[in-house]
Amino acid sequence: MKHSEGFLHLVNDAKTRVKQIDIDAYRKLRASAAPHVLVDTREESEWAAGHVAGAIHLSKGIIERDIEARVPDHAATLVLYCGGGFRSALVADNLQKMGYTNAISLDGGWRALKESGLPLE
């Protein structure tokens, strides 16, 4: 997908402040059984078309409003994914501003997850 210059500027700015992991690092995190919450930040239609088994859905449009009810622990490890790692970086940035100390954007997002061999629904 071709993104606008303004959107890419926002994303690149957010990425200077957020932690990111790639699919290999996420697989290692899962394999270690380290507690974490996998959060799909895509739109409802994207979620309905397929998502990672065990993920919760809080789209970018509502996550700031609803995250504290779903994940009240601000120290919880949150691994956020979208289509490719752009929207999830913006979400991670906002969650950090809300006091979440371990919000991580998954670089490669859904595209990488689909190819990873992880169970999907």
Side-chain angles (χ1 to χ4, degrees), residues 30-83:
R30 276 180 71 111
S32 75
H36 69 282
V37 180
L38 183 62
V39 184
D40 187 321
T41 66
R42 298 174 303 148
E43 298 301 317
E44 183 67 36
S45 61
E46 293 171 291
W47 166 265
H51 55 273
V52 177
I56 66 169
H57 182 242
L58 288 168
S59 69
K60 184 180 174 301
I62 64 160
I63 192 166
E64 295 88 352
R65 182 192 73 196
D66 295 349
I67 187 69
E68 290 176 309
R70 295 286 299 274
V71 184
D73 179 5
H74 284 79
T77 299
L78 304 172
V79 179
L80 309 154
Y81 76 90
C82 61

Side-chain angles (χ1 to χ4, degrees), residues 94-112:
N94 278 343
L95 293 182
Q96 286 181 168
K97 292 174 185 173
M98 292 176 66
Y100 284 87
T101 57
N102 205 9
I104 305 166
S105 177
L106 180 65
D107 190 37
W110 175 241
R111 287 186 288 280

